[in-house]
Amino acid sequence: MKTDQDLEQKGLTFVLETMYFEGYGYRGSTFEQTYRCYPASFIDKPQLEAGDKIIMPPSALDRLASLHIEYPMLFEVHNAAAERTSHCGVLEFIAEEGMLYMPYWMMQNLLLQEGDMVFIKNANLPKGTYVKLQPHTTDFLDISNPKAILEKTLRNFSCLTTGDSIMVAYNNKKYYIDIVETKPSNAISIIETDCEVDFAPPLDYKEPEPVKPAGPANTEPTTEAPAEEEPKFIPFTGSGRRLDGKASKDKDVLASSPAKRQANVTNSVQPSTATTSQGSSSRKTTGKLVFGSGGSRADKAPEKEAKEEPKKEEPKFSAFTGKKYSLRG
């Protein structure tokens, strides 16, 4: 049977426990505390950079053990000065009292500097079913098997928060990936769950330019050198041949070159720019083709002279005019 003295001792113990936890800032049935934050390099724990877990002081473990919280332990991290919120897990409880160590990339997401104050609160997150990731650079897609590297990295993570940028270390190089979307809520737990992963195009990705049809190499207008004029076609400029082998009468036409004939033809077509009185005399002396009343008279005179010239009679061919020879002699 319990005595009054036993009840008084238990009551005193309860009051002392309450005072102890209230001295560290703990209130009610939830864990809420403010710590001074430092990067993982201050405690010589480089493995923290490969995940999302933090290191807390031993007093936090005592308080969490007295609360009926769900495992694994997940926390909400809030920077009131910058209005930034993220979520994380816990790795160890070996930090100095009033201090907290977290990965440097997480401090960058929360816009925290060394020694800044950060608010910690325990959280219950649903298991994730979908997450959409977006790499910062296309270098991540050049990895031989990016899916395997990502699965190995996410094993060190407890939860994901929409808007955060996680760091994936591979082959002595750091790749940053944005959390674009998570389902069923903005913060999800990825411990022992099947989660569908989708990728968005990298931030520096550029659409390939459409292939242009093959065309001339130089599209800009260029001043080409004037091409040499080709000789124009002049009809009936060939030399004539008689069937009987005799020389043609039109010797001057045969002797003249095509260039001269072309010049004569072009000169004959050009209109005369001289006066009417000088044009009539030049037409008669130069022998050019002239159209009009003045040229008709000049052309008739040579035609008459050509008719008056006596033509030499050529011997006509007569059949059976050869000599007769006898075989007897």
Side-chain angles (χ1 to χ4, degrees):
M1 185 175 179
K2 296 181 180 180
T3 61
D4 295 339
Q5 186 177 1
D6 295 336
L7 293 175
E8 288 178 0
Q9 290 179 352
K10 288 185 178 180
L12 180 61
T13 303
F14 176 77
V15 172
L16 291 174
E17 288 180 353
T18 304
M19 291 175 62
Y20 171 78
F21 289 118
E22 288 180 354
Y24 283 98
Y26 303 138
R27 300 184 299 274
S29 59
T30 61
F31 178 83
E32 297 179 357
Q33 182 63 22
T34 302
Y35 293 101
R36 197 170 295 277
C37 179
Y38 292 94
S41 59
F42 276 43
I43 199 174
D44 196 17
K45 293 284 185 179
Q47 64 270 21
L48 285 180
E49 297 294 337
D52 67 338
K53 295 180 176 59
I54 62 176
I55 294 180
M56 302 177 70
S59 60
L61 178 60
D62 296 337
R63 174 59 177 165
L64 291 169
S66 66
L67 300 175
H68 299 285
I69 62 174
E70 297 181 2
Y71 288 85
M73 296 181 183
L74 301 177
F75 301 91
E76 177 185 316
V77 187
H78 180 68
N79 180 11
E83 295 296 330
R84 289 293 189 96
T85 303
S86 185
H87 296 81
C88 65
V90 60
L91 181 64
E92 294 178 295
F93 295 89
I94 60 173
E96 294 85 352
E97 292 298 330
M99 298 178 64
L100 185 74
Y101 299 98
M102 64 172 55
Y104 184 69
W105 63 264
M106 188 180 297
M107 293 181 63
Q108 290 179 321
N109 286 337
L110 295 170
L111 302 179
L112 290 170
Q113 300 294 330
E114 299 173 1
D116 288 351
M117 301 301 293
V118 63
F119 178 77
I120 302 292
K121 178 183 177 181
N122 68 307
N124 295 324
L125 302 179
K127 291 188 176 182
T129 58
Y130 173 82
V131 60
K132 188 174 184 179
L133 308 176
Q134 184 177 31
H136 284 196
T137 62
T138 55
D139 296 343
F140 181 75
L141 302 180
D142 297 336
I143 300 176
S144 58
N145 194 350
K147 182 180 179 181
I149 300 300
L150 187 61
E151 288 179 354
K152 182 181 177 181
T153 303
L154 291 180
R155 290 173 187 170
N156 300 324
F157 283 73
S158 304
C159 51
L160 296 175
T161 305
T162 301
D164 281 358
S165 295
I166 63 175
M167 190 269 294
V168 177
Y170 175 73
N171 199 16
N172 297 327
K173 192 173 182 180
K174 296 179 180 180
Y175 301 92
Y176 290 90
I177 301 176
D178 291 341
I179 311 299
V180 179
E181 183 181 0
T182 56
K183 293 180 181 180
S185 64
N186 291 335
I188 58 174
S189 172
I190 58 173
I191 298 175
E192 296 180 358
T193 181
D194 293 332
C195 187
E196 180 185 354
V197 179
D198 190 13
F199 283 91
L203 295 178
D204 63 347
Y205 176 77
K206 295 181 180 179
E207 292 289 340
E209 297 181 358
V211 180
K212 296 181 180 179
N218 297 330
T219 56
E220 298 180 358
T222 56
T223 56
E224 298 180 355
E228 296 181 358
E229 295 184 0
E230 298 180 357
K232 298 181 180 180
F233 172 72
I234 303 175
F236 308 110
T237 57
S239 59
R241 301 286 182 180
R242 293 173 59 94
L243 294 178
D244 55 2
K246 294 183 179 181
S248 176
K249 292 182 177 181
D250 196 2
K251 294 181 181 180
D252 55 344
V253 176
L254 294 175
S256 62
S257 61
K260 293 180 179 179
R261 289 194 296 270
Q262 181 181 359
N264 293 334
V265 173
T266 54
N267 291 334
S268 63
V269 176
Q270 295 177 354
S272 176
T273 57
T275 58
T276 54
S277 60
Q278 294 177 352
S280 59
S281 60
S282 62
R283 290 182 192 127
K284 296 178 181 179
T285 57
T286 56
K288 297 180 181 179
L289 295 177
V290 180
F291 299 94
S293 59
S296 60
R297 297 177 213 162
D299 294 340
K300 291 178 181 179
E303 288 180 1
K304 293 179 180 180
E305 293 177 0
K307 291 180 180 180
E308 293 175 357
E309 291 179 0
K311 294 183 180 180
K312 297 180 181 180
E313 294 183 0
E314 298 178 0
K316 296 182 180 180
F317 174 75
S318 58
F320 307 107
T321 57
K323 295 180 181 182
K324 180 177 179 183
Y325 295 93
S326 175
L327 296 176
R328 296 178 183 180

